[in-house]
Amino acid sequence: MTRAAQALPPGSRLREAALRQSYVFALVLLVAAAAANYALQPNFFNPAVLGGNLMTYLPLMLLAAGQTVVVIGGGIDLSLGAILSLSNVLIVSTLGESPDASRILLAVAAGLLAGTLAGAVNGACVAYLRFQPIVTTFATSFVFSGLALYVMPSPGGSVPQGLLSAYQADPLGLPMVFWAAVLVLLAWGLLRSTRYGVYLYATGGDQLSAFVSGVPVSPVRLASYCIAGFMAALAGLAMTLSTSTGDPLIGEPLTLSSIVAVVIGGTRLSSGQGGVFGTILGVIVLGLFQSIVSFMGVPSWWQTLINGLIVVVALAGPGLLGLLRQGRRP
């Protein structure tokens, strides 16, 4: 803490510390979106309604968490939606008609392995072949989408009722999405506390300085894409359990949404700043805004415009908060 900050009254210091959090703007949007949903849907805070709404956010939450890791490391991944689709169809096609426990484990393992390998392909191209991340992942998204269509040309398949019941359960009275979010945050906290976490932020902040300082930049970036691919595969598993079917194109719309959630959550696309907690808030904010559009009867094609406006506001938010901090300084 600086001397100027120490000279402020306790209340001002607390406000100053709050404004410095990267996800504070997401919290502001969350409160506004929740208030608007409550006005449009009086039973919005009913546990059953709230739990049902949150359950639909889980695939995007997992996908956006993986996107966050890549962005913090200085990259971006436009293929995560395609990886989700590939994992989804692999899981459903491997399950078959009447799977036993071993077949279920094989299906889940196949989906997670495929996602991780797809992320490794992206990471190798970006980290070692020095391809541009946005161009590389845009190209590989077509490759992974093609593979998903090869595995399952049209939507179909089913999921055992036992798996669906487990996914829809409410352990200790709380929806599964809550426990999934807790596990993701715990994993993120553990990752940040490791040497890799320090290297990840250093790589995203300034790759050249990180390399000169002895940071293994290429392995760090490769690992970030592997983590993102694994998280996309987990999102594919969640989507499989949500829809109880396979669809080779189901993940495509979620790629842009994951980037929007990352931006809303305060992770800078210029990298080196942010975290998964803000991204989870961003996912919830995005979902709440989509609910507002639905309840207001606005045509669905307006959602693209609204997503773009949210990104613009989220990008302007940190600057506005910076001006607010400067204005409150004596």
Side-chain angles (χ1 to χ4, degrees):
M1 186 181 297
T2 64
R3 291 183 179 179
Q6 291 176 345
L8 294 174
S12 298
R13 289 202 300 268
L14 181 61
R15 184 168 56 247
E16 179 79 9
L19 290 174
R20 288 186 179 278
Q21 299 301 320
S22 61
Y23 52 78
V24 65
F25 198 70
L27 286 173
V28 173
L29 290 177
L30 177 62
V31 172
N37 272 271
Y38 179 71
L40 294 170
Q41 186 184 14
N43 65 339
F44 173 74
F45 289 106
N46 181 282
V49 175
L50 192 60
N53 289 336
L54 290 176
M55 187 61 72
T56 62
Y57 304 159
L58 182 55
L60 179 57
M61 185 182 299
L62 296 171
L63 194 74
Q67 187 76 260
T68 304
V69 176
V70 172
V71 171
I72 290 175
I76 196 168
D77 196 334
L78 301 182
S79 68
L80 290 184
I83 296 175
L84 184 156
S85 299
L86 179 59
S87 174
N88 167 247
V89 298
L90 277 174
I91 291 172
V92 173
S93 60
T94 306
L95 283 173
E97 295 296 331
S98 54
D100 54 16
S102 60
R103 178 58 67 88
I104 292 174
L105 291 176
L106 177 62
V108 173
L112 296 181
L113 179 61
T116 306
L117 290 176
V121 170
N122 287 333
C125 292
V126 171
Y128 290 99
L129 299 181
R130 302 292 190 269
F131 294 166
Q132 288 293 325
I134 192 169
V135 176
T136 299
T137 56
F138 180 70
T140 57
S141 68
F142 292 101
V143 175
F144 301 144
S145 292
L147 289 174
L149 286 166
Y150 175 78
V151 173
M152 185 176 289
S154 60
S158 60
V159 177
Q161 186 59 43
L163 276 179
L164 297 178
S165 300
Y167 180 72
Q168 297 167 358
D170 297 328
L172 301 179
L174 295 171
M176 188 65 70
V177 64
F178 171 81
W179 299 110
V182 169
L183 289 176
V184 169
L185 288 175
L186 288 175
W188 172 245
L190 179 61
L191 182 69
R192 286 202 61 175
S193 66
T194 63
R195 181 177 297 179
Y196 175 79
V198 177
Y199 287 168
L200 182 68
Y201 278 91
T203 299
D206 190 328
Q207 291 186 41
L208 181 59
S209 297
F211 179 78
V212 172
S213 301
V215 174
V217 172
S218 295
V220 167
R221 301 197 74 186
L222 172 63
S224 71
Y225 281 92
C226 290
I227 293 171
F230 177 77
M231 295 302 296
L234 281 180
L237 174 61
M239 185 66 77
T240 302
L241 298 176
S242 296
T243 62
S244 70
T245 189
D247 186 340
L249 302 177
I250 198 169
E252 287 187 0
L254 296 183
T255 300
L256 176 59
S257 296
S258 71
I259 299 173
V260 174
V262 168
V263 173
I264 293 175
T267 298
R268 297 171 55 184
L269 293 181
S270 56
S271 66
Q273 180 179 325
V276 169
F277 178 72
T279 295
I280 291 177
L281 293 179
V283 170
I284 298 174
V285 167
L286 190 58
L288 292 179
F289 273 106
Q290 290 171 345
S291 297
I292 293 172
V293 172
S294 176
F295 281 113
M296 291 181 66
V298 178
S300 59
W301 53 266
W302 277 81
Q303 188 60 53
T304 302
L305 173 62
I306 292 173
N307 283 350
L309 292 176
I310 292 174
V311 171
V312 172
V313 173
L315 288 173
L320 294 175
L321 292 174
L323 293 176
L324 180 60
R325 287 198 298 267
Q326 292 177 5
R328 290 183 178 274
R329 289 173 183 169

